[in-house]
Amino acid sequence: MAFHLHNTLSGGKEPFEPIEPGKIRMYVCGPTVYDEAHLGHARCYITWDVLYRFLLYLGYEVRYARNITDVDDKILNRADELNEPFKELAIRFTQHFHDDMEALNTLPPTDEPRATDYIDEMITGIEVLITKGIAYKTADGSVYYRTAAKADYGKLWKQPLDELKQEARVESEAGKESPLDFALWKSTNANDPNSWPTPWGQPGRPGWHMECSAMNHRIFGDQIDIHTGGADLIFPHHENEIAQSEAWTDKAPFAKYWLHNGFVNVSGEKMSKSLGNFSTIKRVLERYDGNTLRYFLLVNHYRMPVDLNDDALVGAKNRMVKIHRSFKVACDTLGIHPDVLKEYPILTRNDTSKNPYLAEFEQHMSDDMSTPKALSVMDETIKALNQTIAQNADDLPKVRHLFVQALSIFSYLGFNSALVFADENPLPRETVDALRTIYRELTGEWLASDKDPAVILDEILTLRQRAKEIKNWEQADAIRKHMTDIGIKLIDQKDGSTQWEQV
Ligand SMILES: [Zn+2]
């Protein structure tokens, strides 16, 4: 099956053909860096990471840009709150974002433009739009896009314009001709330090939509193959990018394929800060590893909403633990050292005729990236691998044949093989801090901050063991209670030793 993708622009599934054979220009709207990245970001960038990997698997030369929006009202407001220069705030959260992306094992994009480096390109584009009569200046020096001047405005959102007008939430910006018109440039007063000069006189800041059009134009030229983002960006952000770029270059479509990933809900409700069900990537990674989060997200098709809840995450974790174990056993059987697993050669598309599981993986991924079916192929491969090892471990060629297929699918879906040999149950940071406090209360001594949490736990268990030996039941019970309070259950064994588990 040829590679097919669901295109929001046409509303249907289409065979994928890049504008220039063999080469792909792909752009993903990146984060606005004013806070920690959340699970909506995780879903978005994991989805498009999987697409990027699959395009590379198919043999395309891919230029993949994922921008950083480093100037925006949200950033300026936050910087104001924290009394910090906005550039420093943006640099700090860009670094945090990079850390998260690395923990999630996403490949770095080939280009990562920062909006503030493209202000001159934005001004160039705005001037072209003013000259063409598509944009107009208001009395205060702001510049707006005249949506009435573009006959097909609304073609991505596909709703009647009257409904769009309601969607657009009429803002009380003075001088706008229509509620649908949007700011390309927002003027500021002359002494605002966070603003840029313009040829039309009034300094100001760019509108968010214009940032993406300008970065695309400078990096890729007039047209790109794939533009992606979360479904919440279809309107107005992507609609407005199309309007700006097509009017600027007179070339349509600006992007041939528009792809959108679905929302992340938390126990049935849309995730939002105000609902208090907002979860950052860092928080989730304290309890689950990057592979677990990736498995949880990919087991749902990218266009469908996913529902985040602990049961689903625990299910994904159990599945991942089993996969990691199967890989460990296969490594033992084949005599592969854990350190080389991440450099282990994986199969390419040329190998599909000899590797039926890989061929099946390709087929499902070619059908609008059906990761749920691709994952079930991975599960079947691992099941066959386990059975072969259990029944016929001497047949090393067969074990290797299945293992390399499973590992290849695992890698093309972006799972991190370095985590296969990582600790299965890392303790959350607050638990480690609490353990250190308990140790201090018991002994009056502080432990070195780089002490391994498992060692601290062992030392506390030893203290309790000593209390039991001298029949100081009061202290032994007090330690047990402390541990229960921080989510660690102690289980006394018949031989006098004590096991623990996280609850
Ligand atoms: Zn964008």
Side-chain angles (χ1 to χ4, degrees):
M1 180 188 192
F3 186 29
H4 280 65
L5 284 169
H6 183 276
N7 189 349
T8 310
L9 193 58
S10 66
K13 232 188 257 183
E14 294 175 22
F16 178 73
E17 275 168 40
I19 298 165
E20 197 182 327
K23 291 188 177 174
I24 292 173
R25 286 164 276 180
M26 165 167 156
Y27 183 92
V28 178
C29 289
T32 301
V33 282
Y34 71 104
D35 204 347
E36 298 295 347
H38 53 74
L39 287 176
H41 295 114
R43 182 169 204 205
C44 176
Y45 302 120
I46 284 178
T47 298
W48 309 123
D49 176 63
V50 171
L51 173 62
Y52 178 40
R53 289 169 188 270
F54 190 62
L55 292 168
L56 295 173
Y57 166 87
L58 292 176
Y60 289 108
E61 191 185 307
V62 188
R63 190 162 179 194
Y64 167 32
R66 186 184 69 200
N67 77 290
I68 297 283
T69 294
D70 62 350
V71 56
D72 181 271
D73 284 348
K74 286 179 191 150
I75 299 175
L76 295 168
N77 294 340
R78 188 80 201 275
D80 220 33
E81 264 169 50
L82 298 175
N83 200 16
E84 182 181 8
F86 88 90
K87 284 187 179 154
E88 281 174 28
L89 179 99
I91 288 170
R92 189 154 53 88
F93 282 114
T94 301
Q95 185 55 51
H96 289 199
F97 174 71
H98 285 160
D99 295 344
D100 288 343
M101 290 301 107
E102 201 185 321
L104 295 180
N105 204 40
T106 62
L107 294 173
T110 54
D111 295 76
E112 193 178 55
R114 287 162 204 251
T116 50
D117 293 332
Y118 292 76
I119 303 283
D120 54 339
E121 187 74 10
M122 297 170 206
I123 288 173
T124 303
I126 293 169
E127 285 199 290
V128 171
L129 294 175
I130 293 174
T131 309
K132 288 183 175 177
I134 306 278
Y136 56 95
K137 283 177 271 185
T138 54
D140 71 351
S142 294
V143 182
Y144 285 90
Y145 189 97
R146 180 177 283 128
T147 47
K150 193 165 192 312
D152 59 1
Y153 183 76
K155 65 182 171 180
L156 189 70
W157 185 233
K158 298 186 175 47
Q159 309 281 336
L161 282 181
D162 285 345
E163 281 182 36
L164 281 178
K165 282 181 188 167
Q166 287 164 16
E167 279 290 323
R169 267 189 256 131
V170 187
E171 295 148 33
S172 58
E173 289 154 292
K176 261 169 73 162
E177 291 174 5
S178 155
L180 289 179
D181 293 356
F182 56 91
L184 300 171
W185 190 263
K186 294 175 197 165
S187 68
T188 52
N189 41 40
N191 51 8
D192 188 325
N194 304 325
S195 57
W196 285 263
T198 64
W200 54 88
Q202 195 72 15
R205 291 192 285 275
W208 172 39
H209 318 307
M210 196 60 206
E211 297 180 0
C212 283
S213 281
M215 287 183 270
N216 263 290
H217 192 257
R218 170 83 60 81
I219 292 171
F220 293 118
D222 294 350
Q223 288 176 300
I224 61 173
D225 298 289
I226 302 176
H227 196 311
T228 75
D232 52 331
L233 299 188
I234 296 174
F235 188 83
H237 185 55
H238 288 165
E239 191 70 58
N240 292 350
E241 274 191 52
I242 292 175
Q244 294 161 161
S245 294
E246 292 183 356
W248 177 355
T249 65
D250 291 318
K251 290 250 177 65
F254 154 51
K256 197 171 172 191
Y257 301 89
W258 284 87
L259 312 181
H260 294 98
N261 62 277
F263 294 108
V264 175
N265 297 322
V266 179
S267 304
E269 288 175 315
K270 192 180 172 199
M271 184 174 69
S272 78
K273 278 189 178 173
S274 55
L275 284 175
N277 60 3
F278 182 82
S279 214
T280 65
I281 293 172
K282 284 187 179 55
R283 265 203 95 73
V284 173
L285 289 181
E286 281 176 5
R287 296 176 59 201
Y288 302 96
D289 71 15
N291 281 354
T292 295
L293 184 53
R294 188 175 277 258
Y295 191 96
F296 163 76
L297 292 170
L298 297 184
V299 89
N300 299 276
H301 188 262
Y302 77 88
R303 294 179 54 223
M304 306 304 285
V306 307
D307 195 56
L308 181 85
N309 55 69
D310 263 324
D311 285 351
L313 274 166
V314 168
K317 181 179 173 172
N318 292 341
R319 185 69 214 125
M320 218 62 232
V321 166
K322 284 187 182 144
I323 293 169
H324 288 176
R325 279 190 195 141
S326 298
F327 281 2
K328 282 182 203 176
V329 171
C331 284
D332 280 349
T333 309
L334 293 166
I336 297 168
H337 191 274
D339 288 350
V340 303
L341 193 61
K342 50 184 182 292
E343 280 112 42
Y344 203 73
I346 55 167
L347 300 165
T348 68
R349 202 186 184 195
N350 297 330
D351 303 315
T352 48
S353 61
K354 290 185 202 129
N355 294 281
Y357 290 107
L358 184 72
E360 220 185 310
F361 159 81
E362 181 183 320
Q363 234 175 30
H364 292 311
M365 288 295 287
S366 296
D367 183 12
D368 194 26
M369 289 214 295
S370 178
T371 55
K373 288 185 180 160
L375 280 176
S376 60
V377 173
M378 186 170 92
D379 287 347
E380 281 168 38
T381 321
I382 292 170
K383 200 170 147 197
L385 173 69
N386 292 343
Q387 268 170 5
T388 305
I389 292 173
Q391 293 160 8
N392 203 2
D394 291 341
D395 189 351
L396 290 184
K398 191 173 176 193
V399 173
R400 190 176 297 112
H401 183 223
L402 289 165
F403 176 63
V404 78
Q405 288 185 79
L407 187 65
S408 300
I409 297 170
F410 186 78
S411 301
Y412 287 120
L413 290 172
F415 292 104
N416 184 355
S417 54
L419 291 178
V420 169
F421 288 92
D423 183 4
E424 276 170 20
N425 285 308
L427 292 169
R429 193 179 310 152
E430 59 254 35
T431 309
V432 177
D433 289 344
L435 282 173
R436 288 164 48 76
T437 308
I438 292 170
Y439 185 85
R440 161 129 172 98
E441 278 169 15
L442 291 169
T443 64
E445 284 169 35
W446 280 112
L447 283 168
S449 60
D450 58 353
K451 198 105 172 169
D452 188 316
V455 175
I456 305 177
L457 225 155
D458 269 352
E459 300 211 13
I460 294 173
L461 291 183
T462 308
L463 291 170
R464 182 163 172 272
Q465 194 64 29
R466 272 188 223 140
K468 276 169 39 182
E469 279 161 19
I470 58 165
K471 300 194 165 38
N472 185 347
W473 307 119
E474 203 179 322
Q475 187 175 37
D477 287 346
I479 294 174
R480 175 198 288 283
K481 182 165 185 316
H482 275 314
M483 302 298 265
T484 312
D485 289 347
I486 63 167
I488 292 175
K489 186 176 164 192
L490 301 185
I491 309 146
D492 288 325
Q493 306 290 305
K494 279 188 184 142
D495 65 1
S497 67
T498 301
Q499 302 267 327
W500 63 273
E501 64 179 36
Q502 270 180 273
V503 287

